[in-house]
């Protein structure tokens, strides 16, 4: 009887155990379904959050933040692949503090595991990073990382970058579900990035259009050329995020470019420079009537590094202002800080369009100015014609009348007064004729070689004798403010000074600086030679000093601590 009861109890307990197991399994499946539901809900929220961002940088950061939460990772990063397709050009991180980043050093460029994802853009899941054959190791002060999950982000079928997740919380490994979730997020991220880039491009196009409108309005309102060129440099520098903007214009009959505007980093080192066509990015762009780029202008063999002016700068682009076929009016150079992104083909194309529109605005403004000048010249011609045909003839007739009437005047003093009046009329006629000549002669004023062009020619002619080309920098209204007689003295002094450098200095570098500020003109010729020996011949220097003294100026010679000789010749300018 006892054994029968025990058997019956066992049969009762067995279904109870199976029921408990089924209930536990059901509960586990319910929990898994709830977890899947929550994860899907989180994924949808992440997709919506990422899709709302229109600022590209913020969108990238939001993508990394969402990825870290979705797969429960401690660290996350998004690496943007550069234009060459082999390295990372930007890196966005989550989970690493600013202090840790500073301790690690520069962001990775795409070696090791990160490079593996660049070469093979497919999802990669690792239980231990160090065991992978492509593992490159970590730099010092880098947080320890073992588990890894990486997926590519594609934008319009092109790999934009990669998502990197490390250290799943709780010591677990990333699983297939994590990979699936992250891959789904990567698809949404690609759409968000594309939208942000399109929005950014549209904003940029709008900004360029506003810049062109601003330049056109300034020019048509009668702004001076220097003001318009400064506006071009400021706007181009601001829109492209450049550290330096330089505008150079061609010098007539010299084959060189003169830097008229420079804004930004070390602008003073560029302002007033005269650049040879074959030794500068700007010259190459002007000659080719096409953009010329450089990955590192500070170390570009095509660019003359004298005088030094690109310290701390890197990517650069020179774009002609205007079009080919003789329509290039100048060149704008934009330079970013070292380590920043290169100028892309799209940026260069947009900048070229901006420069072409600016050239059209300059052309319209000049045509308007020409029309105004023609109207003034016509008015002068009319005044001259009226003076000649009306005033002079009437004065001449009056003089003749008085002269003939003088013969009938018997009073001696009255007769003398009439004769003096006739002489005064003759003098008045001479003055009017001189004024007529002046009105008609102004039309041809300003032609011929200006001081700027003459200085460049003298420096170029001295190069074969020196054995090198001296650097030339000019500032101020040299062709306008400096009279012809003083300009002749400046050219003679420069020629003598460079000849002295060639004969006596044994130098391999010389710098010519010519400035005019409305009150005076200053010429400085500096070399790195042996200096002037005591008791040496000074007849040539005495001649230069006499030229300065004749004009009320002076000549000084100094020896800088670095060696060589600096000659400074100054002359006041006549008041305008």
């Amino acid at each position: 009887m006892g054994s029968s009861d025990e058997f019956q109890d066992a049969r009762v307990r067995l279904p109870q155990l199976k029921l408990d197991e089924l209930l536990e399994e059901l509960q586990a499946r319910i929990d898994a379904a709830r977890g899947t539901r929550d994860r899907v809900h989180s994924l949808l929220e992440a997709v919506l959050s990422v899709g709302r961002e229109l600022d590209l940088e913020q969108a990238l950061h939001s993508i990394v933040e969402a990825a870290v939460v979705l797969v429960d990772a401690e660290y996350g990063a998004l690496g943007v692949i550069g234009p060459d397709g082999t390295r990372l050009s930007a890196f966005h991180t989550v989970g690493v503090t600013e202090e840790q980043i500073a301790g690690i050093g520069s962001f990775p460029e795409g070696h090791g595991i990160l490079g593996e994802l660049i070469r093979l853009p497919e999802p990669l899941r690792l239980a231990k990073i160090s065991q992978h054959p492509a593992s490159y190791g970590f730099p010092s002060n880098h947080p320890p990382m073992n588990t890894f999950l990486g997926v590519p982000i594609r934008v319009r079928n092109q790999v934009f970058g990669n998502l990197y997740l490390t250290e799943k919380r709780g010591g677990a490994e990333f699983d297939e579900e994590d990979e699936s979730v992250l891959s789904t997020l990567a698809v949404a991220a690609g759409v968000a990035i594309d939208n942000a880039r399109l929005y950014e491009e549209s904003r940029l196009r709008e900004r360029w259009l506003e810049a062109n409108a601003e330049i056109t309005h300034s020019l048509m309102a009668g702004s001076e050329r220097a003001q318009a060129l400064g506006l071009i440099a400021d706007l181009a520098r601001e829109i492209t995020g450049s550290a330096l903007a330089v505008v150079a214009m061609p010098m007539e009959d010299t084959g060189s470019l003169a830097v008229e505007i420079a804004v930004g980093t070390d602008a003073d080192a560029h302002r007033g420079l005269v650049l040879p066509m074959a030794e500068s990015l700007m010259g190459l762009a002007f000659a080719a009537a096409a953009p010329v780029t450089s990955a590192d202008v500070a170390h570009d063999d095509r660019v003359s590094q004298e005088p030094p002016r690109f310290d701390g700068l890197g990517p650069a682009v020179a774009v002609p202002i205007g079009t080919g076929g003789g329509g290039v009016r100048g060149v704008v150079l934009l330079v970013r800080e070292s380590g920043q992104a290169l100028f892309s083909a799209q940026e260069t194309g947009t900048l070229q369009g901006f420069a072409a529109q600016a050239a059209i605005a300059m052309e319209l403004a000049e045509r308007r100015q020409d029309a105004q000048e023609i109207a003034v010249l016509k008015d002068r011609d009319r005044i001259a014609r009226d003076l000649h045909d009306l005033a002079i003839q009437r004065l001449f007739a009056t003089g003749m009348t008085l002269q003939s009437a003088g013969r009938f005047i018997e009073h001696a003093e009255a007769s003398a007064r009439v004769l003096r009046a006739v002489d005064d009329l003759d003098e008045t006629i001479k003055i009017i004729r001189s004024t007529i000549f002046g009105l008609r002669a102004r039309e041809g004023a300003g032609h011929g070689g200006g001081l700027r062009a003459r200085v460049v020619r003298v420096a170029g002619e001295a190069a074969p004798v020196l054995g090198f080309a001296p650097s030339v920098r000019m500032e101020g209204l040299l062709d306008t403010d400096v009279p012809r007689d003083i300009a002749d003295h400046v050219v003679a002094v420069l020629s003598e000074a460079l000849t002295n450098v060639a004969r006596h200095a044994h130098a391999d570098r010389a710098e010519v600086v010519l400035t005019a500020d409305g009150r005076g003109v200053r010429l400085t010729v500096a070399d790195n030679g042996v200096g002037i020996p005591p008791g040496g011949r000074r007849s040539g220097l005495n001649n230069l000093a006499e030229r300065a003294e004749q004009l009320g100026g002076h000549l000084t010679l100094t020896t800088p601590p670095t060696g060589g000789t600096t000659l400074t010749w100054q002359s006041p300018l006549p008041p305008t």
Side-chain angles (χ1 to χ4, degrees):
M1 186 68 177
S3 59
S4 175
D5 291 338
E6 290 176 1
F7 178 73
Q8 188 67 29
D9 291 340
R11 291 185 63 187
V12 171
R13 285 197 303 273
L14 186 58
Q16 184 67 39
L17 289 173
K18 289 183 178 181
L19 181 60
D20 290 343
E21 290 175 0
L22 289 172
L23 288 174
E24 289 176 2
E25 184 178 351
L26 179 60
Q27 184 62 46
R29 295 197 177 195
I30 291 173
D31 292 340
R34 185 180 293 114
T36 302
R37 181 202 65 187
D38 293 342
R39 199 164 197 184
V40 170
H41 182 68
S42 299
L43 177 60
L44 290 174
E45 284 186 344
V47 169
L48 291 174
S49 174
V50 167
R52 282 194 293 264
E53 294 292 346
L54 289 177
D55 179 80
L56 182 59
E57 294 298 310
Q58 187 57 45
L60 297 178
H61 191 73
S62 297
I63 291 167
V64 185
E65 288 182 329
V68 166
V69 172
L70 284 173
V71 299
D72 202 20
E74 188 171 351
Y75 305 107
L78 192 156
V80 180
I81 299 176
D84 61 0
T86 62
R87 294 187 303 173
L88 299 176
S89 62
F91 208 71
H92 302 264
T93 62
V94 169
V96 184
T97 65
E98 294 294 332
E99 292 77 10
Q100 287 176 313
I101 293 173
I104 295 170
S106 59
F107 282 118
E109 295 185 354
H111 301 293
I113 299 297
L114 306 189
E116 186 74 9
L117 265 173
I118 295 175
R119 289 187 296 273
L120 299 172
E122 299 292 338
L124 179 63
R125 187 157 38 97
L126 303 173
K128 195 170 184 61
I129 295 174
S130 60
Q131 293 179 353
H132 192 279
S135 179
Y136 195 78
F138 295 106
S140 57
N141 301 318
H142 196 285
M145 295 181 180
N146 293 296
T147 55
F148 175 89
L149 175 59
V151 296
I153 297 176
R154 289 180 169 83
V155 176
R156 297 191 181 186
N157 297 322
Q158 290 187 342
V159 179
F160 173 85
N162 294 298
L163 266 175
Y164 312 110
L165 285 303
T166 62
E167 293 302 284
K168 188 173 177 69
R169 297 183 187 277
E173 297 180 10
F174 294 107
D175 54 24
E176 292 183 4
E177 188 176 341
D178 292 327
E179 181 180 318
S180 177
V181 168
L182 200 60
S183 296
T184 303
L185 178 64
V187 173
V191 176
I193 291 169
D194 192 33
N195 288 339
R197 287 167 71 178
L198 290 172
Y199 177 73
E200 191 174 82
E201 289 171 9
S202 67
R203 289 288 302 273
L204 196 58
R205 280 194 296 270
E206 180 182 355
R207 186 68 187 96
W208 282 119
L209 290 173
E210 290 174 353
N212 275 317
E214 191 173 346
I215 291 168
T216 302
H217 175 75
S218 174
L219 285 167
M220 300 310 289
S223 298
E224 295 293 333
R225 187 180 76 163
Q227 185 177 350
L229 294 178
L231 189 59
I232 290 172
D234 282 330
L235 292 172
R237 174 173 168 263
E238 174 194 343
I239 296 173
T240 60
S242 300
L244 172 70
V246 179
V247 178
M249 306 299 283
M251 300 183 65
E252 187 176 357
D253 300 328
T254 64
S256 302
L257 294 173
V259 175
E260 296 197 11
I261 301 294
V263 292
T265 303
D266 289 336
D268 290 340
H270 295 263
R271 203 172 291 120
L273 279 178
V274 176
L275 303 172
M277 289 290 183
E279 297 179 20
S280 64
L281 288 186
M282 302 182 84
L284 295 173
F286 184 89
V292 177
T293 60
S294 174
D296 186 3
V297 70
H299 301 91
D300 196 317
D301 294 337
R302 299 171 295 174
V303 179
S304 170
Q305 300 302 322
E306 292 293 338
R309 58 196 185 277
F310 292 116
D311 186 36
L313 300 177
V317 60
V319 177
I321 300 174
T323 58
V328 179
R329 310 177 66 83
V331 184
V332 57
L333 172 72
L334 296 170
V335 191
R336 287 173 174 156
E337 292 181 351
S338 179
Q340 289 195 349
L342 304 180
F343 286 90
S344 66
Q346 182 178 358
E347 283 183 300
T348 302
T350 305
L351 183 59
Q352 191 173 11
F354 165 74
Q357 290 295 323
I360 293 173
M362 292 172 67
E363 180 79 17
L364 290 173
E366 288 181 5
R367 292 293 173 266
R368 180 182 178 183
Q369 186 176 0
D370 289 344
Q372 291 174 343
E373 289 180 357
I374 290 172
V376 171
L377 291 173
K378 286 183 177 178
D379 199 40
R380 285 177 181 168
D381 191 59
R382 179 189 59 77
I383 294 171
R385 186 174 59 252
D386 290 346
L387 285 172
H388 182 273
D389 295 344
L390 300 177
I392 287 182
Q393 296 303 323
R394 295 190 67 174
L395 288 171
F396 186 76
T398 302
M400 291 291 291
T401 302
L402 288 173
Q403 193 173 21
S404 62
R407 291 195 298 268
F408 300 101
I409 300 174
E410 296 180 357
H411 194 284
E413 185 175 348
S415 178
R417 288 187 179 183
V418 169
L419 292 176
R420 283 199 300 271
V422 172
D423 291 340
D424 289 342
L425 286 173
D426 287 340
E427 288 299 320
T428 302
I429 290 172
K430 290 178 182 178
I431 291 171
I432 293 175
R433 281 177 171 163
S434 177
T435 302
I436 292 171
F437 177 79
L439 286 170
R440 288 175 172 169
R442 287 189 184 185
E443 183 178 355
H447 292 286
L451 180 55
R452 284 178 177 269
R454 296 174 69 188
V455 166
V456 173
R457 278 197 291 270
V458 170
E461 291 167 358
V465 181
L466 289 167
F468 57 88
S471 67
V472 180
R473 184 196 309 274
M474 292 183 280
E475 295 185 38
L477 301 175
L478 297 169
D479 293 339
T480 304
D481 289 352
V482 182
R484 180 76 184 191
D485 58 335
I486 296 180
D488 291 341
H489 282 288
V490 170
V491 172
V493 170
L494 174 60
S495 179
E496 178 69 19
L498 291 176
T499 300
N500 287 339
V501 172
R503 288 178 177 174
H504 310 297
H506 303 292
D508 60 12
R509 187 171 70 250
E511 182 180 23
V512 176
V513 179
L514 179 62
T515 60
D517 59 4
R519 298 185 301 274
V521 60
R522 175 194 296 237
L523 172 67
T524 302
V525 180
D527 65 70
N528 65 340
V530 298
I532 300 177
R537 292 182 59 188
R538 293 177 176 264
S539 58
L541 296 176
N542 291 336
N543 292 336
L544 302 186
E546 288 176 5
R547 285 181 178 274
E549 291 167 2
Q550 289 174 13
L551 300 171
H554 62 275
L555 171 76
T556 58
L557 291 171
T558 58
T559 301
T562 54
T565 303
T566 299
L567 178 150
T568 303
W569 188 92
Q570 293 178 281
S571 169
L573 293 174
T576 56

